Amino acid sequence: PHITRPRTLPHTLLLLTRPPLAHTHTHTHPAAHPPPPHTPPLSSHPRPLLSLFPPPTHHQWKPTREGYLRFLAESLAVYEALEEAVAASPLYAAFRATGLERAAALRTDIAWFKEAHGLAPPPLAPDGPGATYASLVKALAATDPPAFICHFYNTYFAHTAGGRMIGAKLSASLLDGQALAFYAYDGDFRPLLDAVRAKIDEAAAGWSRADKDRCLDETASSFKYSGALLRTIAEPAVAK
């Protein structure tokens, strides 16, 4: 009999995809559209999509030093919310002190901008991308752990991939090659990712199908809010 294929999903949290299909058939010719391979668990994938932060679709996207500082400040609100949520609840005890935390590094970089360039970040607007995303993260941490884990995963893991690539380009174009602490880890970060993957796998093993679906369905939201953060790089609002 024919089996309905699961809807296409980004290569994030693949552990949670709908039940694997060992022998899926399609209505089209198999040579033209071969069946999808068996979906492996999340822990077999080294990183999430590099395109988590796609460039905005403005006519021209011109990053500025001031905008970059605003991005760091807006991002700090989100990372603080993630780290505070993890610290506050025993549900997330396994995700404490992973080595992926970024709030302290962001504070260091924001202070460096003041010392090196005389720039201070603007006060964050309550309806700005950082405060808005931080509020969402806090709410999900308290009410919907699977959805919170989706944002946790996408935020930290994408930063080690596409985020670091963007950081390197901005460093070269805006900061005369100065490397920021936001993109630096204490040694090789890949073992840190492996350890967190294993913990997510373990947590998700006890979720119901509905829990896993909610986690998957939150992926688009995480991309939307992360993209809003990135756009601030070209939308400066900095007080000197």
Side-chain angles (χ1 to χ4, degrees):
H2 294 291
I3 303 174
T4 302
R5 292 177 57 182
R7 58 192 172 89
T8 302
L9 296 165
H11 287 174
T12 54
L13 294 175
L14 288 178
L15 168 75
L16 309 180
T17 50
R18 277 62 176 176
L21 308 180
H23 300 287
T24 301
H25 299 282
T26 62
H27 293 282
T28 56
H29 193 280
H33 300 283
H38 170 73
T39 299
L42 171 66
S43 57
S44 68
H45 290 264
R47 59 194 177 192
L49 292 176
L50 296 182
S51 59
L52 177 64
F53 300 123
T57 56
H58 300 312
H59 294 296
Q60 288 188 338
W61 191 65
K62 295 182 178 180
T64 65
R65 188 176 289 168
E66 293 81 2
Y68 193 15
L69 175 57
R70 183 185 170 202
F71 164 72
L72 298 177
E74 300 278 359
S75 296
L76 175 59
V78 177
Y79 282 98
E80 285 180 335
L82 287 164
E83 293 175 22
E84 290 169 5
V86 167
S89 173
L91 289 174
Y92 310 118
F95 303 105
R96 296 171 188 167
T98 63
L100 299 178
E101 293 79 14
R102 297 290 87 195
L106 281 164
R107 295 187 197 101
T108 296
D109 291 333
I110 290 169
W112 176 82
F113 264 84
K114 181 67 174 178
E115 295 174 4
H117 300 289
L119 296 174
L124 301 189
D127 60 348
T132 300
Y133 199 5
S135 295
L136 174 67
V137 163
K138 292 175 184 177
L140 292 177
T143 63
D144 194 343
F148 171 77
I149 290 297
C150 179
H151 288 273
F152 178 93
Y153 173 86
N154 282 318
T155 299
Y156 285 108
F157 278 57
H159 183 66
T160 67
R164 293 176 68 247
M165 292 174 61
I166 290 171
K169 291 181 179 180
L170 293 174
S171 173
S173 63
L174 300 176
L175 305 179
D176 299 321
Q178 172 68 31
L180 296 185
F182 188 30
Y183 306 100
Y185 294 84
D186 186 10
D188 186 357
F189 60 80
R190 286 170 293 187
L192 305 178
L193 299 180
D194 290 340
V196 173
R197 276 195 201 92
K199 293 174 181 178
I200 293 176
D201 288 354
E202 182 178 356
W207 293 350
S208 68
R209 182 68 258 165
D211 290 338
K212 294 177 181 180
D213 288 347
R214 284 202 317 282
C215 185
L216 285 169
D217 291 341
E218 201 67 24
T219 301
S221 174
S222 72
F223 287 8
K224 181 185 81 170
Y225 285 103
S226 297
L229 289 172
L230 180 68
R231 284 192 289 275
T232 61
I233 296 173
E235 298 171 359
V238 175
K240 296 185 179 181

